[in-house]
Amino acid sequence: MNPSDTSPTHTLVGRVTNAALLLLALALLGATVAVFSGAYQVRPVLSSSMTPKLPVGSVVITQRVPVTQVRAHGIIMFHDPDNPFELGVHRITSIERQGGATKITTKGDDN
């Protein structure tokens, strides 16, 4: 292409490309701010329990939500009750709410 090409098509393609790059940059900036503010967390998937939906090496983006907002069949990240320093990612199979207590049962898709 000739650098002095100012045809309407060339100008339109340039503007669309610039707009797309600007939107991508703004999206990346927004994601970075969300992660560094603590609103979201980025975590790697370290086990195969959620294969094929979340294979080992996948990255999940999590957001803290009240337990009242979780629903059966959703996927949650939680502290393993047997080892509170480890996080698990499983699908919710059932939720039982009695009084002020909530019992959530989970299972990996591959289990």
Side-chain angles (χ1 to χ4, degrees), residues 38-41 43 61-67 69-70 77 79:
Y40 295 89
Q41 294 181 347
R43 306 274 185 173
I61 299 171
T62 62
Q63 178 184 20
R64 213 177 266 269
V65 297
V67 71
Q69 291 184 5
V70 299
M77 178 171 276
H79 288 277

Side-chain angles (χ1 to χ4, degrees), residues 4-78:
S4 64
D5 185 6
T6 57
S7 69
T9 303
H10 179 72
T11 303
L12 178 62
V13 169
R15 286 183 180 170
V16 169
T17 302
N18 287 340
L21 288 173
L22 178 62
L23 287 174
L24 178 62
L26 289 174
L28 287 173
L29 178 64
T32 302
V33 168
V35 168
F36 282 110
S37 73
Y40 295 89
Q41 294 181 347
V42 179
R43 306 274 185 173
V45 175
L46 302 175
S47 77
S48 61
S49 66
M50 286 298 291
T51 302
K53 191 75 164 178
L54 296 172
V56 173
S58 297
V59 175
V60 293
I61 299 171
T62 62
Q63 178 184 20
R64 213 177 266 269
V65 297
V67 71
T68 56
Q69 291 184 5
V70 299
R71 301 286 179 254
H73 310 293
I75 297 174
I76 62 169
M77 178 171 276
F78 57 93

